[in-house]
Amino acid sequence: TPYEQFALKARDNINLFRDTLRVERLGGKRIWGYGANAKGAVLLQAAWLGPTTMERIVDDTEQKWGQLTPGSLIPITSAAELSEPDVLVLLSWNNAPALKAKARAHGFTGRFFVPVPVPHFAEAA
């Protein structure tokens, strides 16, 4: 029973994550991710999200620039153009405070979206 409850809660959170981002995108918002990492890639695949919802993922690691995220095929770029998106999904949610500060330093003025533990829009750093 505990595992079944966990599975249901995880599925609900994945659905909330996907549905929130799709509503934002349908509303004309530009959505980017911050942090091209394995856990973010798994979450994007579980939510069936790709480049039609999330335009790109920025990362501080230069070796990742020009690559695509596994499975979802979202382009990975530098954080230099962070003034463009309306919503920034923090895919490295355990580093949310540091990513928020870096994003603001790069000119990001939009809203932050944190997918875990429960998907939500977060205040700035």
Side-chain angles (χ1 to χ4, degrees), residues 18-70:
R18 180 192 58 244
D19 295 346
T20 301
L21 293 183
R22 286 186 175 164
V23 166
E24 290 292 311
R25 187 72 179 132
L26 288 172
K29 302 296 184 189
R30 296 185 71 192
I31 301 169
W32 291 14
Y34 199 153
N37 54 42
K39 64 185 169 191
V42 169
L43 177 61
L44 291 168
Q45 288 179 60
W48 292 90
L49 292 175
T52 58
T53 302
M54 185 176 291
E55 293 178 30
R56 69 174 73 180
I57 296 174
V58 299
D59 197 277
D60 297 326
T61 306
E62 188 174 346
Q63 291 82 355
K64 295 180 182 181
W65 302 346
Q67 303 297 316
L68 300 174
T69 56

Side-chain angles (χ1 to χ4, degrees), residues 24 29-32 85-89 108 111 113 121:
E24 290 292 311
K29 302 296 184 189
R30 296 185 71 192
I31 301 169
W32 291 14
D86 301 298
V87 176
L88 190 61
V89 180
F108 178 68
R111 297 185 301 160
F113 190 71
F121 285 98

